[in-house]
Amino acid sequence: DAKTTQPPSMDCAEGRAANLPCNHSTISGNEYVYWYRQIHSQGPQYIIHGLKNNETNEMASLIITEDRKSSTLILPHATLRDTAVYYCIVRVSSNTGKLIFGQGTTLQVKP
Amino acid sequence: NAGVTQTPKFQVLKTGQSMTLQCAQDMNHEYMSWYRQDPGMGLRLIHYSVGAGITDQGEVPNGYNVSRSTTEDFPLRLLSAAPSQTSVYFCASSSRGVNEKLFFGSGTQLSVL
């Protein structure tokens, strides 16, 4: 699975969009980009994933660059409850159900 | 729908004791896995299973044992607890297929004295 690089921490004002970057310059053609978040020592929560195209769901949007070497998770209107550690994970659909987590980005949403 | 259930939520052991952390899921997921998370760190994979009777090692398997006799249950056994195993343990499950979204339990906080 490709390695990812994320900033260790970010701040965002409540109500503003939070844009969390992830670099995955060694990504392979069959590797997906997944995003999970962990709120204060709870179990991680799936947010979104994508292969090539941009994706949107009720929680967030995922923007993947054309060369797929980087992506951005967008929380359109961040709230205090979005304060969490966000993990970007790149992996193939390996039919194993396992994930390898990095250090993630701690997002602090401030009033 | 309970999802992924872990028991106990908290546990204190003495060095050398053994115990089993329980994990059960009611979503009929084929895949299950165990992770540990040390303070201020990301999650590390201990063991995983792709179906009943099939298990494999993850990044940090030493000192832990698993079995998968049913689709629903995936217990994690600490054979002889050590202080280095003080951590929060998370169990996860997911279905087969390209999406493979993981659902996590709420965790077991383990302290080994």
Side-chain angles (χ1 to χ4, degrees):
Chain A
D1 294 337
K3 182 183 168 92
T4 62
T5 303
Q6 299 177 253
S9 64
M10 294 182 61
D11 290 342
C12 177
E14 188 178 20
R16 296 294 190 104
N19 297 281
L20 292 92
C22 180
N23 184 288
H24 31 79
S25 58
T26 61
I27 192 170
S28 301
N30 60 346
E31 288 184 309
Y32 289 75
V33 180
Y34 284 80
W35 284 84
Y36 284 77
R37 74 179 181 183
Q38 187 176 26
I39 298 173
H40 188 56
S41 300
Q42 297 177 17
Q45 175 190 25
Y46 166 85
I47 301 173
I48 199 167
H49 77 284
L51 182 63
K52 297 180 183 178
N53 300 321
N54 299 336
E55 302 287 346
T56 296
N57 63 20
E58 66 279 4
M59 291 182 67
S61 294
L62 173 60
I63 308 298
I64 302 174
T65 58
E66 192 168 344
D67 63 7
R68 302 210 322 123
K69 292 186 177 183
S70 66
S71 60
T72 301
L73 178 74
I74 301 173
L75 308 179
H77 305 286
T79 71
L80 299 179
R81 289 174 293 181
D82 291 322
T83 293
V85 179
Y86 287 77
Y87 296 99
C88 170
I89 301 165
V90 173
R91 62 184 290 260
V92 297
S93 179
S94 63
N95 288 329
T96 62
K98 64 177 183 177
L99 288 177
I100 303 299
F101 286 81
Q103 295 303 306
T105 296
T106 298
L107 175 68
Q108 183 74 47
V109 180
K110 298 185 174 181
Chain B
N1 193 341
V4 179
T5 302
Q6 291 185 237
T7 56
K9 292 191 182 300
F10 302 94
Q11 183 70 49
V12 179
L13 294 177
K14 295 181 179 178
T15 297
Q17 285 185 315
S18 63
M19 80 156 295
T20 299
L21 307 185
Q22 301 292 342
C23 176
Q25 53 92 8
D26 62 358
M27 297 173 281
N28 202 32
H29 285 167
E30 293 91 341
Y31 305 149
M32 297 186 74
S33 48
W34 276 102
Y35 298 80
R36 61 174 287 176
Q37 185 172 35
D38 299 332
M41 305 286 287
L43 283 78
R44 291 185 291 171
L45 179 67
I46 305 172
H47 285 284
Y48 65 100
S49 168
V50 298
I54 306 170
T55 64
D56 206 346
Q57 297 181 350
E59 303 171 89
V60 287
N62 292 339
Y64 307 95
N65 202 0
V66 291
S67 60
R68 183 101 179 268
S69 56
T70 67
T71 299
E72 294 77 22
D73 300 298
F74 190 43
L76 178 72
R77 297 182 188 83
L78 279 69
L79 308 174
S80 177
S84 61
Q85 293 179 305
T86 293
S87 190
V88 180
Y89 291 83
F90 291 101
C91 178
S93 73
S94 67
S95 59
R96 183 190 301 272
V98 66
N99 289 320
E100 287 188 30
K101 293 184 288 186
L102 266 66
F103 293 83
F104 284 81
S106 57
T108 295
Q109 188 167 327
L110 175 68
S111 295
V112 182
L113 307 177

